[in-house]
Amino acid sequence: MIPAFIQIFVFACMGFYPVGDKSILVWDMNWQYVSFFSWLTRTIRETTADSIFYSFSISYGSSTLGLLGYYLLSPFNVILLLFDTVNLPLGLWIVTILKLSCCGLTMYLFLARSFEQNRKDFLLFSTSYAVMGYNVAQMQNIMWIDAVILLPLVALGIKNYVKKKKFGLFVLSLAAAVAINFYTGYMLCLFSAIYLLAEVALDSEQFVFKKIFKKYFGGLFYIVLAVMMSGFSLLPVYYEISGSRMKESSLRSTFYMLKNLDSRMWELGNKLCIGTYNVHQLKSGLPNIYAGCLCFVLFILFFVSRKYKVSKKEKIIYAITCVVLLLSFVSVGVNMIWHGFAQANGSPYRYSFFVSFLMIEIASRQYLKIQEGQEMVRKKDAAELVNIGIAAILGAFLLYKGFVQYKIDESDYLNLSQILLTVGFILVWFVLLKLRKSHKMMIGTYKSYCMLFFLIIELGLNMGIDISHFSYEKIGEYQAYVQETESVLKQIRKLDADPFYRIENDIRYEQRNCNDAMLLGYPSITHYSSVLPYSVSKYASEEGMSSYPGSLSVVYKKEEANAEAAGRNGIKYLITKSLPDNMQGWTLFSQDASVNILKNAAYQPMIRFENEKCETRIESVENGKIATKLFNENEKPEKLIILIPWHQGWQLKLDGKDIVPDKYKSAMMEVMIPTGNHEFTMNFHPVYLKEGTIVSVISTVLFFGLLFVNHRKSRKRLLILPERGIIY
């Protein structure tokens, strides 16, 4: 509940809806995700042209499996079914609150089970994890937070496997992570391999290579098993992204970049300060590793303090694990490996939450050492004051280096106030950590509550400062736009009985309207996402439609594409506030004070014969199925052009018999239709969904079989009487 309280309080103070007029919509949450979520809830609730596996609102039409696997498979999205498009920002805010709260819950479970203690002090660290800098930054990329929720469960599962030979939680949580989001799931698999090795090394009393090798590769087998169990999602999604911008992943370029170092990492320490996330950091900044000053102080003490009994082995293994992750930041090539052998397009270092997790785990270990030390022995207060004095001197030194030598005051993400605030909290944490519960001061008696109080203040300030660096869309503007455009769309559909045509809409400025077709539910060529097929983007450019470089989006611009080009691509209506300079081919369909609806006189159906003398009549488009009547009165077969992207998943039937389409201009479809009248149908089936499901079923059966065998072995070990050596 504490993470939820922090977020609600901060958002209320900063004027977010429902208290104020700000919505949670900012950057990609505004440009992409709200539209995707709107499409998802509409497709599930209503009967539309789209199916859950295919959408005509994604630039010319596209399979949605890539979109689902990257953005939309979080179980939290079920909550969004309670909200219509107008009120969807409120639903997204609630989902964000719940996700951050679940991060705290799973971290608390991890700490309680790992240390086999149920202490209220763990709330300090679970709250730090829930509201760490990474989560605050990714509130606008909430599909990645599911991995943050599952990470503590995966780590706990690894510990159970290493120490208790129990692998159930490890496999199930990792399989869920990969199935929900293949991208962050892949990162979690890489981290699991690193964390597993560290845990195996920690658990080994003596270095016996054979035993370590056996246990480690047994754990790697369970990672592979988890990936296979997610095959129902992973295989079809992988097929879809192989045709998108993500196919730019390259082993050659990645290994070539291994030797390239990011010189900015000398500034990484700055990201431990409060409020260092802004627009520039979002685009091409440093890793978000802030986890609170308390965790930073304890993290440092873990490695440098000799007062508390921390074995050299622990320090060395944890240090190596941290260094491996930090080197991933430094090497451009290794950083690309974490991102699927590709450069991240904005929001760099998307795996930085692993560093925060390790920092918090190490900090919690040190905290318990301190608590145990305070209960066993009383140290002189003079020694404590010396430590605090050293910390103050260190803070002053950092200020000098930062402002005199490196001129941090000129930085775009860090200023003197933030550093003073950070140093102030570091001093507060030093004082609170050194106070004993038996201390005469009142603050010493209620130490845990005081620490929680200051933690809430610090994390709340960090969230508030980070949020203040961004401009959020006003909820009133969003709702007014949705209601206005929905009204316009109803007007068009009421007057035009044709079931299948494209509409373009440029009421809002360019980048914000890229996914309005999915937001409001109409076929369009305009779309922006990481899973946009490359062939479609290329086709749009060749056809005179506007396409951004990098194959991330296709955007129709009335200034660049005339009515003839638009009509050739199935665009029948244009909703706009300003009339195009060239009105040739456009007729004014409807007009009011703010919106013009233009009808394209050069419109051509999306399913049409190349020979204009032949006729097509689209009967229905429902749940991704298209039924069309074809009339070829010529004495020879004629080419039927289908302005829908070619995809292996399309099943085309002519008079009930399967036909195989060819590619039209390397992207769309075409078939030859014999003379006469025909019934033509198109039905989309997800590719590799069946095969992926079979892999999932087989691997799941294998998992439960291994679980059963392991349970039997564990039971036998428990039932052996040591003195008699018999089994009951």
Side-chain angles (χ1 to χ4, degrees), residues 570-589:
I571 299 171
K572 193 172 187 179
Y573 293 97
L574 173 63
I575 304 171
T576 181
K577 286 195 171 183
S578 59
L579 297 175
D581 295 334
N582 182 9
M583 282 289 291
Q584 185 177 356
W586 295 105
T587 59
L588 198 58
F589 183 74

Side-chain angles (χ1 to χ4, degrees), residues 195-429:
Y195 193 79
L196 173 65
L197 184 59
E199 285 298 317
V200 170
L202 282 170
D203 188 64
S204 304
E205 295 181 3
Q206 295 180 342
F207 185 82
V208 181
F209 180 78
K210 187 176 180 180
K211 288 184 178 180
I212 293 176
F213 179 87
K214 182 179 179 181
K215 186 174 285 188
Y216 180 66
F217 277 86
L220 292 182
F221 166 77
Y222 291 124
I223 293 176
V224 174
L225 181 61
V227 173
M228 291 176 63
M229 288 173 64
S230 65
F232 71 94
S233 167
L234 192 59
L235 273 181
V237 167
Y238 179 77
Y239 172 81
E240 295 302 331
I241 65 172
S242 64
S244 71
R245 184 189 67 87
M246 290 186 174
K247 78 173 183 178
E248 295 174 4
S249 302
S250 168
L251 287 172
R252 181 182 296 179
S253 61
T254 298
F255 289 124
Y256 177 78
M257 297 294 285
L258 285 173
K259 64 179 183 292
N260 291 8
L261 304 180
D262 191 340
S263 59
R264 300 177 305 156
M265 288 306 142
W266 293 111
E267 302 177 28
L268 185 60
N270 297 343
K271 296 295 288 185
L272 294 166
C273 292
I274 294 171
T276 57
Y277 188 70
N278 60 17
V279 174
H280 298 291
Q281 290 295 298
L282 180 151
K283 291 179 178 178
S284 57
L286 296 168
N288 292 302
I289 59 172
Y290 172 83
C293 295
L294 169 63
C295 292
F296 172 65
V297 169
L298 290 167
F299 177 80
I300 297 299
L301 287 176
F302 179 85
F303 292 105
V304 303
S305 176
R306 297 182 179 180
K307 179 177 175 181
Y308 307 103
K309 294 182 179 179
V310 179
S311 68
K312 288 185 178 180
K313 180 182 176 182
E314 277 187 280
K315 290 184 179 181
I316 291 171
I317 291 173
Y318 276 115
I320 291 173
T321 308
C322 291
V323 167
V324 168
L325 291 174
L326 292 174
L327 287 177
S328 300
F329 297 153
V330 175
S331 169
V332 176
V334 178
N335 181 48
M336 289 174 66
I337 291 173
W338 282 97
H339 290 102
F341 298 89
Q343 294 277 14
N345 183 32
S347 297
Y349 309 101
R350 299 169 184 181
Y351 56 95
S352 60
F353 64 97
F354 295 128
V355 174
S356 300
F357 171 80
L358 273 179
M359 186 183 297
I360 293 169
E361 182 189 358
I362 292 169
S364 61
R365 284 180 175 274
Q366 180 62 22
Y367 180 80
L368 290 179
K369 295 287 184 182
I370 291 174
Q371 295 302 102
E372 292 168 3
Q374 288 179 354
E375 291 170 4
M376 290 187 296
V377 61
R378 292 174 64 95
K379 297 291 181 180
K380 293 183 179 180
D381 289 340
E384 316 295 341
L385 293 174
V386 169
N387 287 335
I388 295 173
I390 292 172
I393 294 171
L394 177 63
F397 174 74
L398 290 174
L399 283 174
Y400 168 79
K401 294 288 285 185
F403 283 92
V404 177
Q405 187 170 346
Y406 294 109
K407 298 181 180 180
I408 287 178
D409 56 322
E410 297 177 5
S411 168
D412 68 333
Y413 65 92
L414 187 62
N415 57 41
L416 178 60
S417 300
Q418 290 167 258
I419 293 184
L420 288 174
L421 196 60
T422 303
V423 172
F425 272 107
I426 288 175
L427 294 177
V428 167
W429 291 123

Side-chain angles (χ1 to χ4, degrees), residues 31 55 61 65 79 117 171 199 205 213 289 330 354 518 609:
W31 302 336
S55 174
L65 285 167
I79 297 168
Q117 300 180 46
V171 175
E199 285 298 317
E205 295 181 3
F213 179 87
I289 59 172
V330 175
F354 295 128
M518 297 194 78
F609 281 102

Side-chain angles (χ1 to χ4, degrees), residues 446-505:
Y446 298 100
K447 175 180 172 180
S448 298
Y449 298 105
C450 290
M451 293 182 76
L452 193 58
F453 173 75
F454 280 105
L455 183 76
I456 291 172
I457 292 176
E458 181 195 338
L459 296 177
L461 283 171
N462 177 70
M463 180 182 284
I465 294 171
D466 283 349
I467 287 174
S468 69
H469 293 148
F470 293 85
S471 297
Y472 291 80
E473 181 166 16
K474 301 290 181 64
I475 187 66
E477 293 177 0
Y478 165 82
Q479 292 180 335
Y481 168 74
V482 169
Q483 290 169 340
E484 178 185 36
T485 312
E486 283 182 339
S487 175
V488 171
L489 291 170
K490 285 179 181 178
Q491 182 181 353
I492 293 174
R493 289 163 182 158
K494 183 178 180 180
L495 298 174
D496 192 327
D498 187 349
F500 200 37
Y501 49 83
R502 293 189 174 109
I503 300 172
E504 292 304 321
N505 165 23

Side-chain angles (χ1 to χ4, degrees), residues 529-727:
S529 77
S530 296
V531 295
L532 177 69
Y534 175 80
S535 60
V536 171
S537 178
K538 182 181 177 183
Y539 173 83
S541 297
E542 293 171 351
E543 283 292 299
M545 304 292 106
S546 175
S547 177
Y548 280 134
S551 304
L552 281 175
S553 61
V554 172
V555 180
Y556 173 82
K557 294 182 180 180
K558 63 177 182 285
E559 296 84 2
E560 298 178 11
N562 56 34
E564 183 182 354
R568 192 170 60 246
N569 283 274
I571 299 171
K572 193 172 187 179
Y573 293 97
L574 173 63
I575 304 171
T576 181
K577 286 195 171 183
S578 59
L579 297 175
D581 295 334
N582 182 9
M583 282 289 291
Q584 185 177 356
W586 295 105
T587 59
L588 198 58
F589 183 74
S590 177
Q591 185 180 34
D592 59 28
S594 59
V595 176
N596 302 295
I597 304 175
L598 303 182
K599 188 173 182 179
N600 193 347
Y603 163 73
Q604 299 179 51
M606 286 185 276
I607 300 177
R608 62 178 183 266
F609 281 102
E610 188 175 51
N611 186 338
E612 296 180 1
K613 295 180 180 179
C614 299
E615 185 185 350
T616 64
R617 186 168 70 238
I618 300 174
E619 298 287 310
S620 65
V621 183
E622 189 174 293
N623 291 327
K625 301 177 183 179
I626 305 174
T628 309
K629 289 188 180 295
L630 306 178
F631 305 95
N632 179 9
E633 303 299 335
N634 292 335
E635 296 180 355
K636 63 177 182 177
E638 294 289 347
K639 181 187 292 186
L640 183 71
I641 298 171
I642 306 166
L643 279 183
I644 297 171
W646 184 95
H647 193 287
Q648 189 177 336
W650 277 114
Q651 182 183 51
L652 277 59
K653 289 189 176 186
L654 187 67
D655 299 325
K657 296 180 180 179
D658 290 338
I659 56 173
V660 179
D662 295 319
K663 287 189 177 181
Y664 174 72
K665 294 187 177 180
S666 301
M668 303 296 147
M669 292 184 281
E670 66 177 32
V671 292
M672 296 303 295
I673 304 298
T675 185
N677 300 337
H678 304 279
E679 297 283 344
F680 178 68
T681 59
M682 299 176 62
N683 194 6
F684 185 82
H685 300 276
V687 178
Y688 291 127
L689 179 62
K690 181 180 178 180
E691 293 82 352
T693 303
I694 292 172
V695 171
S696 293
V697 170
I698 293 172
S699 54
T700 302
V701 170
L702 175 61
F703 166 73
F704 281 107
L706 292 171
L707 206 63
F708 176 75
V709 172
N710 189 64
H711 175 71
R712 289 289 298 269
K713 287 182 178 179
S714 300
R715 202 158 163 246
K716 284 183 179 181
R717 285 193 296 267
L718 290 172
L719 293 175
I720 291 177
L721 291 176
E723 63 273 16
R724 296 183 183 178
I726 60 173
I727 302 174

